[in-house]
Amino acid sequence: MNLIWLLVGISIGAIVGIAIYIVVYRIVLKGRKEQIIEKAELEAENIKKERILQAKEKYLQLKSEHEKQVAEKNSQIKEIEIRLKQKENTLNQQNDNVQKKLRDLDNTKASLNAQKEKLEKKAEEYEQLSQEANRQIESIAGLSAAEARNILMENMKAEARSEAQAYINNVMDEARLNANKEAKRIVINTIQRTATETAIENAVTTFPIENDEIKGRIIGREGRNIRALEAATGVEIVVDDTPDAIFLSAFDPVRREVARLALHQLVIDGRIHPARIEEIVAKVSRQLEEEILETGKRTCIDLGIHGMSMELVKLIGRMKYRSSYGQNLLQHSREVANICAIMASELGLNPKIAKRAGLLHDIGKVSDNEDELPHALLGMKIAEQYKEKPEICNAIGAHHEEIEMTSIISPLVMVGDAISGARPGARREVIESYIKRLKGMEELAASYHGVTKSYAIQAGRELRVIVGAEEVSDEQAAAMSSDIARKIQNEMTYPGQVKITVIRETRSVAYAK
């Protein structure tokens, strides 16, 4: 009996233990489940944040690429617009020339028609008078044979003269037509034989350097070398983060060439300081003058022109560093010389005189004379001064029809200049007006008392004026900057604003012997 109760008790205890174990296991299992759920929720939140960040980065990347593509498209559109505008200007100019020629042809045609009507009217009158005279002769019966013969001969002479005049008129009309065709043939052949590359104007020169150490030496302590070089040459020197390069910016190509050659010699020499910079710039300027003379001589030799004054040869060499509406002046003058020589040969004229006149036609653009005359008249004046022939002087002065043409060479030079300048891409008027504006600023500042040098830099946004310390005081320098700024504002047209900097410095120089 006790054994039964013991077994019953053990069974009940086992059941109770199992029940307790199940309850405890469920409680523990529920806690783990909650921990797993919390951990899963946390990981899900982290994944969500990570995905959001990735999506944002992808969005920013796509946005940047889109903006870059839009910028490239806009740049391409602007370039296309510029090209279309240039083509439109060229077509407009060609259209104007065609319209002018058509008007001239209409006027010529009207004049010929009027002459033709006049001749026809006279012919009818003559026919009526001849018929009347013949009737009167027939009505007269008492004439001798000799008298009738004389009257008949006079009538035949008059008829022959009339037929000869009609033949002359036909020959003249045919000559006019053939002359027009022959002139077109000569011009077309000339253009084909003298075709040259198009000219591109550049206002920036890149000066290569080996490393940043040389760049630092060029800049100098607190930028004194850069300032000295800019003051000596009038060229803005741009030093930025571009590796292995310095940029020389100026509208005057002569200044840029002087600065480039001076920098080259300074870098090779290794001694870079303000006194050395001024010495090298002066030396390079003299060398460039010699190179200009050599360029003029070589041009004359290439074109077969001899016996020209050395002063004119120097002016021809200076054309290499000047431009006309974006077209290099020396290249333009050589092209005009060849065109004039070819047309003169086709017409049976002297090609040497035509070539000489074509080369010198724009000589007035490079003269140092500040005369207010147009460049054609100034060039004629210079040619007369150096004993050029009268027909050459007239061709130079009349190539823009500012004086009357007295030589057969003059229209050839005018046509050659028009052919060379009318080539597509040969000229750009924007750069020419830009250079005139900058030169005007420099000349305005140079007109003040005490100014030694004046330079327009930064595309005309800054004007640097260097004055003599002995002639201008600090107070006068301050007043001068304000006065120049006011005068530029009242007399000139320019974009944005112009900064006027007046520089005054004192130097004491002595020599130990």
Side-chain angles (χ1 to χ4, degrees), residues 178-212:
N178 292 335
N180 191 21
K181 293 180 181 178
E182 186 68 11
K184 290 180 180 179
R185 183 189 67 79
I186 292 172
V187 170
I188 291 172
N189 290 338
T190 302
I191 294 172
Q192 291 175 345
R193 291 171 62 181
T194 59
T196 59
E197 60 189 298
T198 57
I200 299 175
E201 184 67 17
N202 187 17
V204 178
T205 299
T206 303
F207 180 79
I209 56 176
E210 295 180 0
N211 50 53
D212 289 338

Side-chain angles (χ1 to χ4, degrees), residues 140-366:
I140 299 173
L143 288 177
S144 64
E147 290 175 347
R149 190 184 303 111
N150 290 335
I151 293 173
L152 181 61
M153 289 178 64
E154 289 295 330
N155 290 338
M156 292 180 67
K157 288 180 181 178
E159 186 177 355
R161 281 196 294 267
S162 176
E163 292 178 356
Q165 185 64 41
Y167 177 75
I168 291 172
N169 291 336
N170 293 332
V171 171
M172 289 180 65
D173 292 339
E174 185 178 357
R176 289 190 185 96
L177 294 175
N178 292 335
N180 191 21
K181 293 180 181 178
E182 186 68 11
K184 290 180 180 179
R185 183 189 67 79
I186 292 172
V187 170
I188 291 172
N189 290 338
T190 302
I191 294 172
Q192 291 175 345
R193 291 171 62 181
T194 59
T196 59
E197 60 189 298
T198 57
I200 299 175
E201 184 67 17
N202 187 17
V204 178
T205 299
T206 303
F207 180 79
I209 56 176
E210 295 180 0
N211 50 53
D212 289 338
E213 180 184 356
I214 296 178
K215 183 183 291 188
R217 292 170 60 189
I218 292 173
I219 295 171
R221 182 180 299 173
E222 298 177 356
R224 64 175 186 172
N225 292 343
I226 287 287
R227 290 196 298 272
L229 194 56
E230 288 180 343
T233 60
V235 173
E236 182 186 4
I237 300 175
V238 181
V239 181
D240 53 17
D241 296 332
T242 304
D244 303 332
I246 291 177
F247 299 100
L248 309 177
S249 175
F251 70 91
D252 191 340
V254 176
R255 294 183 192 169
R256 291 202 311 272
E257 185 66 9
V258 170
R260 187 188 69 81
L261 294 174
L263 265 177
H264 181 69
Q265 293 194 16
L266 286 169
V267 170
I268 292 175
D269 183 66
R271 294 175 294 168
I272 305 177
H273 51 81
R276 181 64 176 168
I277 288 171
E278 292 180 357
E279 178 184 352
I280 292 296
V281 169
K283 179 180 177 181
V284 167
S285 298
R286 292 192 297 269
Q287 291 175 351
L288 193 60
E289 287 296 326
E290 295 175 0
E291 183 181 344
I292 286 173
L293 179 60
E294 185 63 26
T295 300
K297 290 180 179 178
R298 188 166 57 252
T299 300
C300 292
I301 292 172
D302 292 342
L303 294 176
I305 296 174
H306 307 286
M308 187 174 290
S309 169
M310 276 296 119
E311 295 300 322
L312 286 179
V313 173
K314 288 181 182 179
L315 292 177
I316 291 172
R318 289 172 67 89
M319 288 182 180
K320 178 181 177 182
Y321 301 100
R322 291 292 183 271
S323 62
S324 175
Y325 299 97
Q327 187 178 25
N328 183 269
L329 195 58
L330 180 59
Q331 178 184 337
H332 167 65
S333 298
R334 291 179 63 128
E335 186 176 356
V336 173
N338 290 324
I339 290 172
C340 292
I342 293 171
M343 289 193 294
S345 299
E346 293 285 344
L347 297 172
L349 304 175
N350 190 336
K352 292 185 177 180
I353 294 178
K355 185 180 291 187
R356 196 181 188 103
L359 180 63
L360 296 175
H361 81 285
D362 271 345
I363 205 75
K365 290 185 178 180
V366 292

